[in-house]
Amino acid sequence: MLRTGMIKQSSAGIYSWLPLGFKVMKKIEKIVREEQNKIGAQELLMPTIQSAEIWKESGRYDDYGEEMLRIKDRQNREMLYGPTNEEQVTEIFRSSVKSYKSLPQLLYHIQWKFRDEIRPRFGVMRCREFYMKDAYSFDVTDEEALFSYNKFFLSYLRTFKRLNLTAIPMAADTGPIGGELSHEFVILAETGESKIYSDKRIFDIDINEHSNDDNSIKELRDKFDKFYAVTDEKFNKENFDKKVEKENQLHAKGIEVGHIFYFGDKYSKPLKCSVDLQDGKKVDVKMGSYGIGVSRLVGAIIEAKFNNNIMKWPQSVTPFDVAIITSIKKGDSENLNKCEKIYRFLKESKIDVLFDDTEDNLSAKFKKFDLIGIPYQIILGSKTTDDKFEFKELNGKTEILTIEEIKNKLLKIRNLN
Ligand code: ATP
Ligand code: MG
C-alpha cells in the first residue's frame, strides 16, 4: 500500500489515505452501507470525541485501560477519543425513545475510532486510528434481540461475499465489549494474526438460500452452529478431534474483519436506558453491537488476494475498472490523442478508467500496473491497429478488440459483480 501510494504514515499507527487508497476504502464503505440498509438499519453519525461522563456511568472509564486516548479540554473537562460507541449510542437512545412500540431499532454509523494499541503493525491492519462501521441493536426481549443479532450475522456474510471474501463466523470471546454471545468473522490469509480451527464443510453453506425473514435467518444460524469453528482463544483439541474427522479439519491463519456481540442489558442497566411496556412496567432494553473494520478491509483484501507480488482487486472494490497504458513520447501526440479519445468514450459510459499519460517507459508502466492490480488493461502497442486495441486481463489472456467491444465487455463484467 505504501509502494503504490495508497496511504502515507503520519505517525505510529496513524495514516493519511491518499487518492488511490481512499477510493478503495470508499467503495468498501458503500457496500457495507448498502448491506446495513438492506436489513433495516438506519445510519446516523456520532462524534469521534466523547465525554468521559457516560463512560463513568457504564463503569468502563476505568476498565478500558490504556488503549483509550484520554483528553482534557480547556475547561479541564475529561473527554476521550471514542474507541467504540456503546455508551454514546445508549445515551442518545435513552433520551429519545420511551416506548416498546418504537422497538426494534437498528442504528449504525461509519466513523473513525482511536485505540492506543500497544503494538500498531501491519500498516492499516492494526492501526491506532481506524475507520469502523459499528451498529447497535435495541430490543424488548432476549428472543427479539436474537433476531436482530441474526440479521447482522446474515448481513455480514453478504457484505464479505460482495467483497469477494469468504468470511467464516467463529464463536469468539467477548473481550472489553462484554456479553455472552459473540462471533468473529475471519477471512483466511497466511499473514493473519488469528489462528482458526474449523470444519471445512462450513464453506459449503450457501447464504443465497436465506432471506431476511426471521425463520430463514434462524435456519442459517443453525447451519453454521452445527460446524466447529473457533479461534485459538476458544480452541480445545479434544473437542475438535471429537467433533470433526481428520480429513475435514482446517487449521489456518486468518484476519478478523468483523465482530458481533450480544450483551443484553450490560449497558442499558447502568445507563438507565429503559422503555415503557404495555402494562406500564419498564424494561431495560436488550442490546447488541456489530463492528466491521472498513479500513482494515483494504489491507485484508490485498492479503487475501495477492499473488506473486501482484495485488488483484475484486471488481467490486477495484480503484479503477480499467487502465489505459501506452508509451508517450515528447513531441509525438498521436498515442496521447488516441488514448484521450478512448478515455472520454469510456468515461461517458460511466466506466471508471485511469489513463497513465506519464512519459515512463512501457515496461515500467507494466510493472506499476501489475503492482496496483487494476483488473483490466487497454494497451496501445505493437498489436494495435487504427481501431483495434489490446484488452488484457491482469495476469490473464489478451484479446484484440474495438473500443465498442471493450466498453460492452467492461459493462458486462460490472453487471456480473
Ligand atoms: P482485534 O482482536 O483485531 O484487536 P477487536 O476484537 O479489538 O480487534 P472489535 O472491537 O471487535 O475489535 O472491532 C470491530 C472490528 O474493527 C474488528 O473486527 C476489526 O476489523 C476492526 N479493528 C479493531 N481494531 C482495529 C485496529 N487497531 N486497526 C484496524 N482495525 C481494527
Ligand atoms: Mg473483535
Side-chain angles (χ1 to χ4, degrees):
M1 289 177 76
L2 291 167
R3 273 165 68 199
T4 53
M6 295 181 75
I7 52 170
K8 180 169 188 319
Q9 190 172 42
S10 138
S11 58
I14 303 183
Y15 291 86
S16 296
W17 288 80
L18 306 185
L20 193 69
F22 191 61
K23 216 158 176 275
V24 174
M25 188 162 73
K26 285 286 148 181
K27 286 195 179 181
I28 296 173
E29 179 184 352
K30 179 168 180 280
I31 290 175
V32 170
R33 174 176 289 118
E34 284 170 4
E35 293 301 327
Q36 295 293 291
N37 293 344
K38 268 192 209 156
I39 56 163
Q42 297 189 79
E43 186 169 9
L44 47 72
L45 184 59
M46 292 176 267
T48 53
I49 307 287
Q50 303 179 21
S51 153
E53 286 310 309
I54 44 176
W55 286 74
K56 286 183 180 162
E57 273 185 61
S58 76
R60 272 211 295 186
Y61 195 59
D62 293 328
D63 291 353
Y64 212 94
E66 300 212 278
E67 268 192 21
M68 185 190 277
L69 180 65
R70 295 154 207 257
I71 311 164
K72 274 204 180 131
D73 70 9
R74 67 203 295 169
Q75 319 286 358
N76 225 18
R77 275 184 298 240
E78 290 175 295
M79 313 288 288
L80 56 100
Y81 195 126
T84 178
N85 282 62
E86 282 79 10
E87 284 79 358
Q88 184 82 75
V89 77
T90 307
E91 200 283 317
I92 293 171
F93 194 90
R94 73 177 175 193
S95 58
S96 27
V97 180
K98 301 290 177 207
S99 159
Y100 75 96
K101 286 182 193 158
S102 306
L103 269 51
Q105 284 290 340
L106 313 179
L107 301 171
Y108 73 99
H109 77 160
I110 306 177
Q111 176 65 292
W112 293 96
K113 304 289 183 294
F114 195 95
R115 294 182 188 173
D116 202 353
E117 298 268 357
I118 186 159
R119 241 174 279 117
R121 58 191 183 280
F122 311 132
V124 303
M125 305 282 274
R126 184 166 299 285
C127 303
R128 295 198 297 162
E129 190 185 46
F130 60 98
Y131 201 44
M132 195 213 277
K133 184 286 300 176
D134 41 322
Y136 303 87
S137 64
F138 301 85
D139 284 277
V140 176
T141 66
D142 279 320
E143 198 193 358
E144 285 159 346
L146 278 185
F147 282 131
S148 295
Y149 184 91
N150 290 345
K151 272 189 190 152
F152 282 100
F153 188 94
L154 173 62
S155 112
Y156 275 34
L157 292 169
R158 285 181 179 151
T159 304
F160 299 126
K161 194 163 178 199
R162 281 182 67 188
L163 299 173
N164 217 305
L165 297 171
T166 308
I168 319 176
M170 311 232 142
D173 273 343
T174 51
I177 310 277
E180 58 254 38
L181 172 65
S182 164
H183 285 90
E184 268 173 20
F185 290 76
V186 181
I187 60 166
L188 299 183
E190 268 306 306
T191 50
E193 287 186 285
S194 311
K195 278 201 194 112
I196 58 173
Y197 301 86
S198 143
D199 189 322
K200 285 180 191 161
R201 290 171 298 175
I202 209 164
F203 292 111
D204 300 333
I205 299 172
D206 183 4
I207 63 166
N208 289 334
E209 289 170 6
H210 296 270
S211 68
N212 287 352
D213 172 68
D214 286 350
N215 285 329
S216 180
I217 299 187
K218 172 91 180 53
E219 277 170 29
L220 178 71
R221 266 293 308 283
D222 290 345
K223 279 188 195 167
F224 275 98
D225 280 351
K226 261 202 247 139
F227 293 115
Y228 192 91
V230 301
T231 56
D232 50 351
E233 292 156 354
K234 288 216 159 184
F235 178 63
N236 174 303
K237 184 156 184 348
E238 215 170 292
N239 270 348
F240 191 40
D241 288 336
K242 204 156 62 194
K243 287 198 178 142
V244 190
E245 306 88 73
K246 272 269 176 293
E247 75 258 28
N248 288 325
Q249 288 187 355
L250 173 73
H251 310 216
K253 286 205 179 133
I255 301 169
E256 177 191 326
V257 287
H259 198 163
I260 62 179
F261 303 86
Y262 178 58
F263 41 74
D265 59 11
K266 176 171 191 269
Y267 298 92
S268 58
K269 206 183 198 75
L271 285 161
K272 302 190 178 55
C273 176
S274 58
V275 290
D276 296 327
L277 297 175
Q278 208 161 9
D279 60 9
K281 287 191 186 130
K282 280 186 187 301
V283 65
D284 295 325
V285 293
K286 304 289 190 295
M287 292 175 58
S289 77
Y290 314 88
I292 290 184
V294 176
S295 53
R296 175 180 286 185
L297 269 167
V298 181
I301 291 172
I302 296 172
E303 291 297 334
K305 303 283 170 199
F306 91 96
N307 190 355
N308 284 333
N309 272 330
I310 293 180
M311 303 209 273
K312 188 153 193 211
W313 294 107
Q315 198 65 31
S316 55
V317 298
T318 174
F320 293 92
D321 294 326
V322 64
I324 306 174
I325 307 175
T326 192
S327 134
I328 307 238
K329 295 200 180 75
K330 260 208 180 82
D332 175 5
S333 54
E334 195 188 329
N335 267 353
L336 185 68
N337 291 342
K338 265 193 201 163
C339 290
E340 282 183 344
K341 231 167 110 183
I342 298 172
Y343 180 80
R344 278 196 298 273
F345 178 76
L346 294 177
K347 274 272 187 203
E348 274 163 26
S349 305
K350 302 262 178 313
I351 288 166
D352 202 358
V353 50
L354 174 70
F355 169 34
D356 182 349
D357 63 357
T358 64
E359 288 170 11
D360 297 348
N361 69 42
L362 257 186
S363 74
K365 284 190 182 176
F366 284 133
K367 257 201 202 132
K368 173 163 69 182
F369 280 95
D370 275 354
L371 180 66
I372 296 176
I374 295 168
Y376 295 96
Q377 304 176 342
I378 299 167
I379 303 163
L380 274 68
S382 55
K383 294 179 200 140
T384 308
T385 65
D386 266 348
D387 59 354
K388 289 203 170 179
F389 312 98
E390 282 177 62
F391 181 69
K392 183 169 179 284
E393 191 176 337
L394 188 63
N395 256 353
K397 59 177 188 188
T398 304
E399 294 173 275
I400 309 293
L401 300 174
T402 67
I403 193 60
E404 191 66 37
E405 287 166 335
I406 292 176
K407 179 191 87 179
N408 290 336
K409 234 183 156 92
L410 288 169
L411 288 176
K412 201 162 141 200
I413 291 161
R414 192 162 61 195
N415 286 340
L416 291 177
N417 279 277

